[in-house]
């Protein structure tokens, strides 16, 4: 209810009612309203700057979760990087060395990810730096893993070839030699039993009773199975990779030329055919055109100690059996 206001009129010596114009009233109402709006706005701003709306609260919480996720991912990437570094190290120093593969150039291993342009869409956010760093790390890791997997592919192929190679080349002794006492004469200059001269002995003689089985020392194909050349009944296996092996003075041959043979399969039996003084097998390994010392090709069935013992026996000077 509006209050009536009065003022004293000295001309009329009386109190008169104050008349308020409509304009004044409108102004006053507006004044009051705008003051209220401003005050209200200030209060709302004050409240909102101290207290978050529910939506803001959710967003803040989400943001904190993302930050935590970035940290976790960073840690995981670091761990993966460590595992990969170990693999690279083993690859370079062991695997590639075993298979005689060329080392991978360090610059290829470091595998550049190229350009910062690709991370452009990550710019302009509060966590842009962290996100870009994270992406760079993941890309770098992916590139390194790719290089590493290519290296393993290459080694896989080399290993497959190596398996064929290792099963082909001569790698055992041609007769069972458990007590290691069968070697009677080694590779090198020896006195020839018949000519009694110092002659180069191009193989190793294993003494064994007449009829002892003689085995193929590596996979291959029978190239020769015949009598002649002072070797008596002799067999030559072609192992591929430039390797051949020869077994001489057999009493009986059990293979034919052209036949495929596996390491450990029977070739024939010990005898004394050809220029020989006693039952034995004269064993040769030929690499390319050269006869080489078979002592280096017994590694498959000997321990380190046995190998040393057999080397010593084979190196003794003495008379060969052929
Ligand atoms: Zn011999």
């Amino acid at each position: 209810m509006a209050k009536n206001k009065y003022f004293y009129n000295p001309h009329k010596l009386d109190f008169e009612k104050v008349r308020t114009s409509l304009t004044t009233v409108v102004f006053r109402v507006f004044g009051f309203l705008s003051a209220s709006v401003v005050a209200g706005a200030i209060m709302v701003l004050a409240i909102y700057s101290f207290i978050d709306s529910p939506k803001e609260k959710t967003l803040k919480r989400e943001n904190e979760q993302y930050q935590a996720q970035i940290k976790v991912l960073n840690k995981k990437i670091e761990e993966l990087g460590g595992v990969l570094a170990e693999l690279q190290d083993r690859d370079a120093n062991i695997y590639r060395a075993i298979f005689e593969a060329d080392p991978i150039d360090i610059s290829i291993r470091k595998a550049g990810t190229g350009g910062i342009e690709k991370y452009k869409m990550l710019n302009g956010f509060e966590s842009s730096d962290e996100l870009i760093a994270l992406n760079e790390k993941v890309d770098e890791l992916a590139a390194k893993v790719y290089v590493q997997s290519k290296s393993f592919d290459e080694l896989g192929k080399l290993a497959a070839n190596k398996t064929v190679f290792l099963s082909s080349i001569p790698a055992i002794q041609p007769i069972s030699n458990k007590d290691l006492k069968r070697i009677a004469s080694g590779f090198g200059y020896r006195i020839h039993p018949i000519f009694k001269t110092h002659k180069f002995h191009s193989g190793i003689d294993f003494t064994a009773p007449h009829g002892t089985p003689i085995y193929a020392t590596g996979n291959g194909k029978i190239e020769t199975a015949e009598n002649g050349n002072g070797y008596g009944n002799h067999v030559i296996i072609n192992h591929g990779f430039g390797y051949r092996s020869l077994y001489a003075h057999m009493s009986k041959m059990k293979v034919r030329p052209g036949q495929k043979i596996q390491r450990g399969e029977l070739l024939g039996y010990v005898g004394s055919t050809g220029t020989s003084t006693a039952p034995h097998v004269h064993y040769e390994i030929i690499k390319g055109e050269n006869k080489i010392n078979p002592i280096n090709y017994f590694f498959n069935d000997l321990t380190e100690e046995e190998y040393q013992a057999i080397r010593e026996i084979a190196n003794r000077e003495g008379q060969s059996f052929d």
Side-chain angles (χ1 to χ4, degrees), residues 1 3 12 18 21 43 74 82 89 107 131 141 190 192 228 250 257 278 287 292 310 322:
M1 197 170 75
K3 268 187 199 167
K12 293 186 179 173
V18 176
S21 73
M43 277 171 71
N74 257 313
D89 201 43
S107 63
L131 283 175
L141 202 60
R190 298 287 187 278
H192 195 275
M250 292 184 183
K287 191 181 178 192
I292 56 174
I310 220 164
D322 55 7

Side-chain angles (χ1 to χ4, degrees), residues 67-109:
Q67 294 286 344
Q69 283 288 334
I70 289 178
K71 267 188 197 143
V72 170
L73 282 176
N74 257 313
K75 197 158 165 45
K76 279 187 184 167
I77 289 168
E78 251 169 56
E79 282 169 5
L80 279 176
V83 173
L84 181 64
E86 214 171 275
L87 270 180
Q88 286 178 323
D89 201 43
R90 248 188 273 170
D91 182 46
N93 295 316
I94 304 174
Y95 306 142
R96 293 190 76 82
I98 288 175
F99 295 110
E100 291 154 358
D102 291 334
I104 293 178
D105 197 83
I106 198 89
S107 63
I108 296 173
R109 276 221 190 267

Side-chain angles (χ1 to χ4, degrees), residues 185 201 203-205 249 280-283 320-322:
S185 179
H201 187 231
I204 285 180
D205 290 342
H249 313 300
H280 78 286
V281 54
H282 169 89
Y283 176 60
S320 67
F321 280 65
D322 55 7

